[in-house]
Amino acid sequence: MILTTLLYSIPMLIRPPRSPSAHLLNGRYHGNQNRTHSEEGTGDNEGQKTAAVGNSSDCVRQPVVDKCETIHVAIVCAGYNASRDVVTLVKSVLFHRRNPLHFHFITDSIAQQILSSLFQSWMVPAVRVDFYDADELKSEVSWIPNKHYSGIYGLMKLVLTKTLPSNLHRVIVLDTDITFATDIAELWAVFHKFKGKKQVLGLVENQSDWYLGNLWKNHRPWPALGRGFNTGVILLLLDRLRKLKWEQMWRLTAERELMSMLSTSLADQDIFNAVIKQNPFLVHQLQCFWNVQLSDHTRSEKCYKDVSDLKVIHWNSPKKLRVKNKHVEFFRNLYLTFLEYDGNLLRRELFGCPSEADHNSENLQKTLSELDEDDPCYEFRRERFTVHRTHLYFLHYEYELSADNTDVTLVAQLSMDRLQMLEAICKHWEGPISLALYLSDAEAQQFLRYAQGSEVLMSRGNVGYHIVYKEGQFYPVNLLRNVAMRQVKTPYMFLSDIDFLPMYGLYDYLRKSVVQLDMTNTKKALVVPAFETLRYRLSYPKSKAELLSQLDMGTLFTFRYHVWTKGHAPTNFAKWRTATTPYRVQWEADFEPYVMVKRDSPEYDRRFVGFGWNKVAHIMELDAQEYEFVVLPNAYMIHMPHAPSFDITKFRSNKQYRVCLKTLKEEFQQNMSRRFGFAALKYMTVENNS
């Protein structure tokens, strides 16, 4: 079972971003330290003992890459899109690998936040991740004008000798648009083929005619040796490069060439090639299948005769998957395999290789070991501790904090079957939105295509989409809410659900209420009255008067009045009909209104999954913490009809589900009693009387 693999594996270690001069290796994972351990259960590792220098029919024996030798990989990654793209590269490497891996990410603050959260929640054994602050490196390369779409980050591979730790001797450097079709250890083994002390760069020849200078009239590329070399895949011998004074070498070359070239066209690749033109002895030329380049006018098909020849595919055209190539359909399918591959399946142990202990993992295992597997509610209890792989900000996000400190973010969660609500919500709510989506890897790509094809969604930069990947049998509704809440940037948040359409203008109304009700200095939860329609096509009321008219005609109803009156009865809809000023209501049993609160309000209790008591427990928590519930007289939201969720179906049909929910409720109330003492007695009393 996948979950078992997750819970009992030693997770990868995450390090915060360091300055370029920081020494990140502290003796636990050294760059090239051979060990001798026997391997069990990992199959034939012949690929790790050979590095191909020709096609599959022409292989030469190479020194062994020890099964426990750590392979170091450096990647420059900046922004939301690159952070999403690099995951496919990482998946392809993890799929084939048999060695411990140490990723070195040179990132901006956006990519660092996204990737740190992703790797921490991914928990892959024998993988370590370190981050280096790209912003601290900008001054090193910002003097170089660059026309390439990669911008300033496309130049940062030039400064890796200065950025990476001084005790790291060798590293494989990869672009984010790379896909591996073989074990990366085979490429690592090629380091053993470097000759003498001056071969320090492993590169594949460029497979287009760019550096030949004949693509169009007056085409004038940077100087290069023949066709030049492509820097999408680089083997760097860092210690030798430092001894050769690489930093001084590339800077002098760049300064000289820029006097006539004025700018780079292909970012770092132009400067690497200009240096190599002057110093050809630096290069160990890799076989071309280590970087099969799928750019326009490529000669890449000369690199392979058979599928088995393919090692690394490089989507180095701005067109990416839309590039024209004789075999592009095959390459695209290979890429899509990893794009939609279930990342949870990559949480595989490397048997026989020691891993660093991690306290979070150890505590998690201890907690799980204390659970009784014979308990009928064991799966419910276990779900509470499941670590779901999480990708924050799956799409580009832009938000500027308002100066008046009244801004409000709408918070909601959803699964694939509610995607159709997104456009409508965006039309009703113009403010920032934080959404947690519970999806599989394949569904995440379907969502991406859906969003990119929607003018409404693409026109909104202030919607944060956070993917929580599926795992286990329950819908982790409160975990999703918490994920979305943690990404709120505004001082206030409106805790909604995806099936509700807020009234037009609610965003501005809530902001004004912040001032009118002195939310800054008081502890309030502003209640937005909830209604529902059973009609799939609704003429949405544009005012309270229009809503009351539809309520009287039977087009609208107070929310869940016919099945769960207690949930919203304390809102006092009779009073709301004529109210013109906000009014306070008292907490009652099973009250679960939709509220606006401060960003630092309590999170939802994760023990409640699927259907039942997930919001009730949260409102009880707010009451226990002495929040005032204040109903807004001119605010409303309407629940739109939909098919019953899978979880409510389970609740209705499965007696054990209902028994476990009741047990969890009682445990939650006991916990409240311990935390709040006498003040929490009313929660126990009310429950016993109901």
Side-chain angles (χ1 to χ4, degrees), residues 54-56 207 287-294 298-314 324-331:
N55 286 335
S56 54
Q207 290 159 17
Q287 289 294 307
C288 65
F289 49 60
W290 286 117
N291 185 352
V292 177
Q293 300 150 40
L294 301 182
T298 182
R299 301 166 71 246
S300 60
E301 63 187 73
K302 298 183 182 296
C303 292
Y304 53 87
K305 295 177 183 176
D306 194 78
V307 173
S308 61
D309 297 336
L310 294 170
K311 304 289 186 186
V312 175
I313 298 160
H314 186 189
K324 293 180 180 177
N325 180 280
K326 183 176 178 181
H327 301 117
V328 71
E329 197 62 31
F330 172 81
F331 294 122

Side-chain angles (χ1 to χ4, degrees), residues 533-538 640-644:
T533 179
L534 303 180
R535 299 184 180 184
Y536 282 88
R537 294 194 176 197
L538 173 72
M640 305 305 290
H642 58 79

Side-chain angles (χ1 to χ4, degrees), residues 113 134 143 176 205 324 371 449 500 510-511 589 597 659:
Q113 179 191 9
W143 56 275
T176 58
E205 185 181 52
K324 293 180 180 177
L371 296 179
R449 291 190 289 271
F500 280 89
L510 290 178
R511 293 186 67 173
V597 291
V659 168

Side-chain angles (χ1 to χ4, degrees), residues 514-532:
V514 167
V515 178
Q516 292 169 356
L517 296 170
D518 192 23
M519 288 285 287
T520 306
N521 301 308
T522 56
K523 214 172 184 181
K524 291 188 178 77
L526 304 189
V527 176
V528 176
F531 300 85
E532 70 176 327

Side-chain angles (χ1 to χ4, degrees), residues 620-621 624-625 671-681 683:
M620 189 182 288
E621 175 80 29
Q625 294 196 23
N671 180 254
M672 291 281 284
S673 181
R674 283 193 295 272
R675 290 169 58 210
F676 297 102
F678 182 77
L681 184 61
Y683 307 124

Side-chain angles (χ1 to χ4, degrees), residues 248-304:
Q248 183 180 352
M249 192 182 293
W250 75 258
R251 281 179 178 275
L252 290 173
T253 301
E255 288 170 0
R256 182 182 68 246
E257 296 301 333
L258 283 170
M259 293 177 69
S260 58
M261 298 302 298
L262 304 181
S263 69
T264 61
S265 296
L266 300 181
D268 66 85
Q269 185 168 298
D270 284 337
I271 298 173
F272 269 102
N273 275 292
V275 173
I276 291 166
K277 174 81 171 177
Q278 296 293 318
N279 308 278
F281 57 84
L282 296 175
V283 179
H284 175 84
Q285 184 169 337
L286 304 177
Q287 289 294 307
C288 65
F289 49 60
W290 286 117
N291 185 352
V292 177
Q293 300 150 40
L294 301 182
S295 56
D296 291 326
H297 315 295
T298 182
R299 301 166 71 246
S300 60
E301 63 187 73
K302 298 183 182 296
C303 292
Y304 53 87

Side-chain angles (χ1 to χ4, degrees), residues 285-515:
Q285 184 169 337
L286 304 177
Q287 289 294 307
C288 65
F289 49 60
W290 286 117
N291 185 352
V292 177
Q293 300 150 40
L294 301 182
S295 56
D296 291 326
H297 315 295
T298 182
R299 301 166 71 246
S300 60
E301 63 187 73
K302 298 183 182 296
C303 292
Y304 53 87
K305 295 177 183 176
D306 194 78
V307 173
S308 61
D309 297 336
L310 294 170
K311 304 289 186 186
V312 175
I313 298 160
H314 186 189
W315 302 90
N316 63 319
S317 165
K319 298 176 184 176
K320 301 304 177 189
L321 297 188
R322 293 177 289 106
V323 70
K324 293 180 180 177
N325 180 280
K326 183 176 178 181
H327 301 117
V328 71
E329 197 62 31
F330 172 81
F331 294 122
R332 190 183 291 123
N333 288 338
L334 182 64
Y335 175 84
L336 292 175
T337 298
F338 293 114
L339 185 72
E340 301 187 355
Y341 189 82
D342 184 352
N344 298 333
L345 300 178
L346 297 169
R347 291 164 167 156
R348 296 192 298 253
E349 291 279 4
L350 294 184
F351 296 108
C353 292
S355 294
E356 284 188 65
D358 177 78
H359 294 303
N360 290 333
S361 177
E362 290 173 351
N363 292 338
L364 180 61
Q365 291 177 41
K366 183 176 182 295
T367 301
L368 289 168
S369 68
E370 292 170 355
L371 296 179
D372 180 7
E373 293 191 30
D374 295 325
D375 180 354
C377 302
Y378 172 75
E379 293 298 336
F380 281 85
R381 302 187 193 285
R382 181 169 169 170
E383 171 58 37
R384 183 181 181 184
F385 303 105
T386 300
V387 180
H388 288 265
R389 186 165 41 104
T390 303
H391 188 131
L392 304 176
Y393 300 102
F394 200 65
L395 296 177
H396 186 79
Y397 181 77
E398 288 180 15
Y399 169 74
E400 289 187 15
L401 197 63
S402 64
D404 62 4
N405 287 323
T406 64
D407 214 350
V408 187
T409 298
L410 186 149
V411 171
Q413 37 71 37
L414 67 151
S415 52
M416 197 69 181
D417 59 343
R418 298 292 195 269
L419 275 188
Q420 72 278 4
M421 288 296 297
L422 293 182
E423 287 192 357
I425 288 175
C426 284
K427 291 175 182 177
H428 280 247
W429 179 276
E430 61 270 33
I433 302 174
S434 182
L435 298 171
L437 298 89
Y438 193 55
L439 306 173
S440 67
D441 291 74
E443 286 174 339
Q445 296 308 312
Q446 292 175 38
F447 159 69
L448 179 62
R449 291 190 289 271
Y450 172 82
Q452 290 176 336
S454 165
E455 289 184 19
V456 174
L457 300 188
M458 285 296 97
S459 67
R460 294 286 297 273
N462 63 348
V463 181
Y465 301 97
H466 315 296
I467 309 297
V468 177
Y469 286 101
K470 285 184 175 180
E471 182 153 0
Q473 60 174 299
F474 297 106
Y475 182 76
V477 57
N478 280 355
L479 167 67
L480 296 171
R481 288 178 172 137
N482 292 341
V483 167
M485 284 170 61
R486 288 168 196 158
Q487 302 312 313
V488 168
K489 313 289 186 188
T490 58
Y492 302 94
M493 53 190 180
F494 172 44
L495 306 178
S496 184
D497 270 341
I498 198 67
D499 301 316
F500 280 89
L501 288 183
M503 74 177 197
Y504 292 108
L506 181 61
Y507 171 61
D508 287 331
Y509 181 52
L510 290 178
R511 293 186 67 173
K512 289 174 184 174
S513 299
V514 167
V515 178

